């Protein structure tokens, strides 16, 4: 009876913080959730910018958007960026109408938009590239996503920390009740995706001091592992 009570109490203690395992063991056991967290300073970024223009004709709108994107890409290549780090989306072209009550819609022009995504592998270049985007006609900076070039290594460190956390918790809890761990019965692992810091700003804001907006950016990588241990009978 002693062991059944311990197992029930320990299972209840973590019920609120962990999902229920698919298989519930019929022997004395201890469920633990290990969490690992690693922080790092980003050394690269992915920027998402856009040009949106409105012109009297569809051809003029397309030409204006294409010109801005082509000029920006030329500056990127001149700065040493590789083709694989530059992606420019297909054009979105649509008519613009003026709607007035009691009147038929009036065509006022055409709006063209193109998106460009750039991977900046040398973070000190970021401010200059954003300035180049604005100077070449890009009129929207949607967001900046900070990343680390060694994300696989950071994720591995977080996973190792989560495993050690689960082991330490299990040992401490079992020992506190005078029990011994008798090995692992089940492990449940769900791969985590890191949440990189992002800066959202309009073109106007970015042009007025982008440097101040990403000085203290950090990446936090977390991982979680759920383990069921057998405990002594």
């Amino acid at each position: 009876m002693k062991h059944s009570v311990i197992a029930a109490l320990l299972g209840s203690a973590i019920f609120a913080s962990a999902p229920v395992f698919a298989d519930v063991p019929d022997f004395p056991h201890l469920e633990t959730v290990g969490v690992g967290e690693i922080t790092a300073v980003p050394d690269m970024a992915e920027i998402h910018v856009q040009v949106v223009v409105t012109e009297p004709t569809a051809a003029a709108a397309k030409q204006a958007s294409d010109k801005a994107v082509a000029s920006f890409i030329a500056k990127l290549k001149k700065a040493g960026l590789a083709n694989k780090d530059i992606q420019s989306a297909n054009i979105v072209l649509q008519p613009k109408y003026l709607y007035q009550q009691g009147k038929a819609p009036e065509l006022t022009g055409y709006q063209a938009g193109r998106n460009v995504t750039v991977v900046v592998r040398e973070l000190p270049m970021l401010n200059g590239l954003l300035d180049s985007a604005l100077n070449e006609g890009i009129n929207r900076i949607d967001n900046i996503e900070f990343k680390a070039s060694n994300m696989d290594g950071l994720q591995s460190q977080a996973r190792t920390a989560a495993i050690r956390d689960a082991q330490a918790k299990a040992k401490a809890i079992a020992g506190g009740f005078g029990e011994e761990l008798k090995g692992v019965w089940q492990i449940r692992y769900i791969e985590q995706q890191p949440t990189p810091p992002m800066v959202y700003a309009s073109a106007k804001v970015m042009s007025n001091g982008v440097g101040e907006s990403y000085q203290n950016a950090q990446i936090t990588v977390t991982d979680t592992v759920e383990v069921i241990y057998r405990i002594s009978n």
Side-chain angles (χ1 to χ4, degrees):
M1 179 63 68
K2 171 186 174 184
H3 301 293
S4 298
V5 172
I6 291 175
L9 287 174
L10 295 179
S12 300
I14 70 164
F15 181 78
S17 61
V20 177
F21 282 83
D23 298 321
V24 179
D26 58 356
F27 50 81
H29 64 281
L30 167 64
E31 301 179 18
T32 63
V33 178
V35 179
E37 182 175 290
I38 301 295
T39 59
V41 176
D43 59 1
M44 59 186 294
E46 184 174 292
I47 63 175
H48 302 265
V49 299
Q50 185 179 174
V51 56
V52 179
V53 295
T54 301
E55 297 290 344
T57 66
K62 177 182 181 301
Q63 184 178 14
S65 64
D66 288 348
K67 180 180 178 181
V69 171
S71 297
F72 179 44
I73 291 177
K75 285 293 183 68
L76 293 174
K77 291 184 177 180
K78 186 176 180 180
L81 274 73
N83 287 333
K84 67 178 182 178
D85 293 331
I86 306 170
Q87 297 182 11
S88 54
N90 293 332
I91 189 171
V92 176
L93 184 64
Q94 58 186 2
K96 302 295 291 183
Y97 291 95
L98 174 63
Y99 295 93
Q100 297 182 0
Q101 187 174 2
K103 296 183 179 180
E106 178 184 353
L107 179 65
T108 60
Y110 291 84
Q111 184 179 82
R114 289 189 64 181
N115 299 313
V116 182
T117 300
V118 183
V119 177
V120 183
R121 300 188 184 276
E122 297 181 23
L123 205 53
M125 298 176 60
L126 180 58
N127 193 20
L129 294 178
L130 292 172
D131 287 341
S132 293
L134 301 177
N135 292 335
E136 297 305 322
I138 301 296
N139 51 18
R140 288 190 58 181
I141 297 177
D142 293 331
N143 64 67
I144 306 171
E145 181 180 349
F146 295 98
K147 299 182 177 182
S149 55
N150 62 331
M151 286 305 301
D152 289 343
L154 294 175
Q155 194 69 60
S156 179
Q157 292 178 43
R159 185 179 307 114
T160 298
I163 293 171
R164 290 175 178 172
D165 183 51
Q167 293 170 334
K169 287 177 180 176
K171 184 177 181 180
I173 294 173
F177 284 96
E179 301 295 325
E180 293 183 4
L181 299 177
K182 295 298 183 179
V184 174
W185 181 73
Q186 188 178 88
I187 299 173
R188 184 171 185 266
Y189 174 72
I190 301 177
E191 187 172 1
Q192 306 290 310
Q193 293 297 323
T195 304
M198 303 183 74
V199 174
Y200 296 86
S202 65
K204 180 179 179 181
V205 172
M206 298 306 293
S207 64
N208 286 341
V210 64
E212 296 295 326
S213 67
Y214 61 80
Q215 285 182 345
N216 300 317
Q218 278 193 330
I219 295 174
T220 301
V221 182
T222 60
D223 218 330
T224 303
V225 60
E226 302 167 11
V227 187
I228 296 181
Y229 288 89
R230 293 176 180 269
I231 59 176
S232 55
N233 294 322

